[in-house]
């Protein structure tokens, strides 16, 4: 199958790098987004998200005419949907919110034609791709879909989860293997032809439900392993053992590979996706749920450590926090445990909290006015220094060495 024009629905952290990559391979790419500001910026050759190499890729593809953005759906041969799939929390459960997927599907339905391919890339609960196909079919009774017409359907529907690591998007989009989950074999084969235009990794075909579960499994695997490390760090603190040294030593075993503890798990993926499994199998997903709860409880444990340290200092003691991002060497503060901790500290200890975050130029609105953004040389003199994000910048700087300084290192930067 050949593709003259593709449409990427959702120009965020996944959609925009994907759009730029296809456009740089000479394919005519239309990016569809509801954010008019983002659309205008992209059409000027600029980006609204931070990702190494993306500025250049967008600038070049807009300049050579293969990438443009719009808020109005247009016909294309393939549609890749990369919109958010958050969860809705209530007191009893965390349920996947497919409203963005539904809105995206209904928005492209009017421009679909026989032979088109629709791919859901957003991380989704099992069954979401079939649900998306139902939404498309309800909008277009004149076209046939795989759920009713199998291999002969007019429209091919696929789930192909994105698996890139933020900060390495452009490289991983090319080198990672892709799991291609077709609602039928013909659907998967069509999507494989499309991804082969840009992917150098293997394109492995399966069914849509297995592909959905594969993505959720990858992130749950990582979450469970981080929870193990976080639990170890709490146990080691109680027993007076350096957890970083412990993990270094145990990882010398040929079949042990423990991840690193931290102040909690952030970002929009690992802290969210395991809940999709829990929501669909609440009785069975015991370990996956326990891991989520362990990781979610870590910021409060860190706050208790800081409160204990503050209680031993004079009332004027200053607290410096190192890092706000959700992980090292990026500027992304989304669902960041570091930000959660600092936001609580400024409420509990007003006027005493400073922050070092080399990747941002001003504090987010929730901290503006209640904390100071300072350089590392100023922060290091505080009576309490809290390491929250292992940015390279911090690893390459000397640790605090004041005689009366209490160090709380959640990332093993100073206390390795
Ligand atoms: N973290 C730890 N200890 C570790 C590793 C990570 O505390 O040893 C924390 C990080 O600090 C961060 C959180 O976990 O707060 C998540 O960071 P991450 O680097 O593990 O993952 P993400 O969210 O940036 O990207 C993940 C990746 N999934 C896997 O590695 C299985 C990526 O490949 C996915 O594409 C992405 O989720 C996604 O979009 O789902």
């Amino acid at each position: 199958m050949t593709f003259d024009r593709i449409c990427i629905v959702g120009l965020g952290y996944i959609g925009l790098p994907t759009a730029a990559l296809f456009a740089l391979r000479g394919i005519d790419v239309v990016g569809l987004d509801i954010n008019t500001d983002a659309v205008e910026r992209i059409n000027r050759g600029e980006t609204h998200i931070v990702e190494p190499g993306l500025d250049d890729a967008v600038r070049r593809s807009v300049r050579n005419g293969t990438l443009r953005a719009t808020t109005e759906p247009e016909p294309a041969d393939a549609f890749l949907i990369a919109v958010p799939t958050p969860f809705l929390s209530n007191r009893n459960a965390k349920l996947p919110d497919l409203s963005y997927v539904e809105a995206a599907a209904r928005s492209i339905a009017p421009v679909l034609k026989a032979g088109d391919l629709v791919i859901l890339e957003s991380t989704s609960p099992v069954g979401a791709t079939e649900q998306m196909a139902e939404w498309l079919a309800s909008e277009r009774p004149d076209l046939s879909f795989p759920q009713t017409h199998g291999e002969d359907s007019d429209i091919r529907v696929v789930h192909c989860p994105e698996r890139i690591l933020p900060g390495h998007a452009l490289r991983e989009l090319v080198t990672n293997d892709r799991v291609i989950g077709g609602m039928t074999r013909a659907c998967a084969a069509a999507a494989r032809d499309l991804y082969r235009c840009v992917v150098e990794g293997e394109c492995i075909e399966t069914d849509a439900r297995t592909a959905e579960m594969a993505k959720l499994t990858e992130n749950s695997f990582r979450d469970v392993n981080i929870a193990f490390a976080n639990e170890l760090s709490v146990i080691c603190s109680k027993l007076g053992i350096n957890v970083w040294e412990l993990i270094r030593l145990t990882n010398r075993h040929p079949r042990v590979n423990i991840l690193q503890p931290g102040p909690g798990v952030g970002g929009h993926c690992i802290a969210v996706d395991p809940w999709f499994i829990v929501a669909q199998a609440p009785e069975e997903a015991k370990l996956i749920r326990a891991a989520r709860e362990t990781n979610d409880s870590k910021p409060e444990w860190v706050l208790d450590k800081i409160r204990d340290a503050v209680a031993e200092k004079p009332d004027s003691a200053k607290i410096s926090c190192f890092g706000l991002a959700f992980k090292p060497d990026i500027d992304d503060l989304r669902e960041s445990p570091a930000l959660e901790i600092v936001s609580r500290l400024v409420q509990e200890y007003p006027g005493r909290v400073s922050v070092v975050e080399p990747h941002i130029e001003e504090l987010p609105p929730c901290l503006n006015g209640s904390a100071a953004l300072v350089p590392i040389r100023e922060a290091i003199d505080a009576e309490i220094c809290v390491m929250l994000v292992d940015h390279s910048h911090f690893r390459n700087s000397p640790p605090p060495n004041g005689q009366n300084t209490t160090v709380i290192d959640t990332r093993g930067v100073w206390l390795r």
Side-chain angles (χ1 to χ4, degrees):
M1 198 172 166
T2 55
F3 302 91
D4 293 326
R5 177 191 280 177
I6 65 169
C7 172
I8 312 283
V9 187
L11 295 171
Y13 282 84
I14 304 302
L16 188 54
T18 305
L21 202 64
F22 276 102
L24 286 177
R25 297 287 156 99
I27 295 171
D28 183 14
V29 179
V30 183
L32 177 65
D33 204 292
I34 51 174
N35 178 344
T36 46
D37 180 52
V39 164
E40 283 166 15
R41 287 177 78 147
I42 292 163
N43 285 332
R44 290 197 302 269
E46 298 164 10
T47 55
H48 60 298
I49 57 177
V50 177
E51 179 63 43
L54 186 61
D55 277 353
D56 180 57
V58 169
R59 191 170 40 247
R60 282 194 291 137
S61 45
V62 170
R63 196 185 298 150
N64 69 23
T66 48
L67 173 64
R68 70 195 158 79
T70 175
T71 53
E72 291 299 322
E74 293 179 20
D77 304 315
F79 296 82
L80 275 76
I81 298 180
V83 295
T85 43
F87 57 61
L88 297 165
S89 296
N90 67 23
R91 251 182 326 134
N92 303 318
K94 291 176 189 274
L95 299 170
D97 173 8
L98 291 181
S99 58
Y100 296 95
V101 176
E102 180 174 2
R106 294 197 191 278
S107 79
I108 58 166
V111 298
L112 287 181
K113 58 185 185 314
D116 283 358
L117 169 66
V118 181
I119 303 174
L120 180 61
E121 281 211 0
S122 313
T123 305
S124 298
V126 174
T129 309
E130 292 158 352
Q131 171 67 72
M132 181 183 76
E134 291 295 341
W135 285 320
L136 293 171
S138 72
E139 296 286 330
R140 291 298 301 272
D142 56 317
L143 292 170
S144 66
F145 288 82
Q147 63 271 33
T148 48
H149 288 70
E151 300 290 358
D152 300 325
S153 63
D154 289 334
I155 305 296
R156 315 253 194 245
V157 182
V158 171
H159 181 62
C160 181
E162 62 79 16
R163 305 160 106 186
I164 52 173
L165 202 61
H168 303 269
L170 289 171
R171 178 170 54 78
E172 290 209 350
L173 275 172
V174 175
T175 57
N176 285 1
D177 293 343
R178 297 299 295 247
V179 174
I180 299 183
M183 280 186 67
T184 64
R185 283 173 193 276
C187 295
R192 183 202 53 216
D193 290 347
L194 177 64
Y195 284 107
R196 279 202 176 145
C197 302
V198 293
V199 172
E200 286 169 12
E202 238 182 284
C203 293
I204 307 142
E205 291 163 53
T206 181
D207 60 89
R209 293 173 76 86
T210 306
E212 288 160 345
M213 189 62 182
K215 171 61 193 247
L216 302 179
T217 301
E218 290 160 12
N219 281 353
S220 299
F221 171 85
R222 195 156 168 84
D223 197 45
V224 169
N225 279 278
I226 298 169
F228 183 70
N230 276 333
E231 187 166 293
L232 275 179
S233 73
V234 174
I235 295 168
C236 285
S237 168
K238 186 171 182 175
L239 302 183
I241 292 167
N242 180 328
V243 69
W244 316 102
E245 186 191 1
L246 176 83
I247 291 174
R248 243 189 345 265
L249 295 175
T250 50
N251 281 352
R252 293 279 185 125
H253 185 287
R255 285 173 296 282
V256 174
N257 186 11
I258 303 170
L259 292 179
Q260 299 297 302
V265 167
H268 269 7
C269 310
I270 306 245
V272 175
D273 302 350
W275 288 121
F276 290 5
I277 298 180
V278 175
Q280 291 188 299
E283 294 302 320
E284 297 79 6
K286 295 188 182 70
L287 180 63
I288 295 171
R289 179 199 289 272
R292 268 293 65 245
E293 287 166 354
T294 298
N295 288 333
D296 273 355
S297 67
K298 197 71 193 294
E300 195 58 44
W301 183 83
V302 174
L303 277 162
D304 279 341
K305 289 266 163 212
I306 300 170
R307 289 179 190 122
D308 290 348
V310 172
E312 289 175 5
K313 303 275 179 194
D315 284 352
S316 58
K318 300 279 187 218
I319 308 163
S320 286
C321 296
F322 291 72
L324 277 185
F326 90 81
K327 64 181 207 169
D329 298 331
I330 59 168
D331 69 337
D332 193 341
L333 309 187
R334 293 179 303 165
E335 311 296 326
S336 167
L339 182 59
E340 183 185 337
I341 290 167
V342 175
S343 305
R344 294 277 293 281
L345 287 179
V346 297
Q347 285 168 6
E348 293 179 29
Y349 307 107
R352 294 167 66 177
V353 180
S354 297
V355 175
V356 194
E357 179 43 83
H359 298 278
I360 60 173
E361 271 154 28
E362 57 184 66
L363 289 172
C366 63
L367 294 181
N368 233 339
S370 51
L373 185 64
V374 300
I376 195 164
R377 61 174 187 285
E378 202 175 303
I380 214 99
D381 292 333
E383 285 89 342
I384 300 167
C385 288
V386 187
M387 172 55 70
L388 294 172
V389 188
D390 44 340
H391 290 312
S392 317
H393 191 79
F394 297 151
R395 289 198 181 279
N396 299 330
S397 304
N401 61 1
Q403 278 200 331
N404 296 321
T405 306
T406 300
V407 165
I408 297 167
D409 183 357
T410 71
R411 294 284 191 177
V413 173
W414 295 321
L415 302 180
R416 287 191 89 72

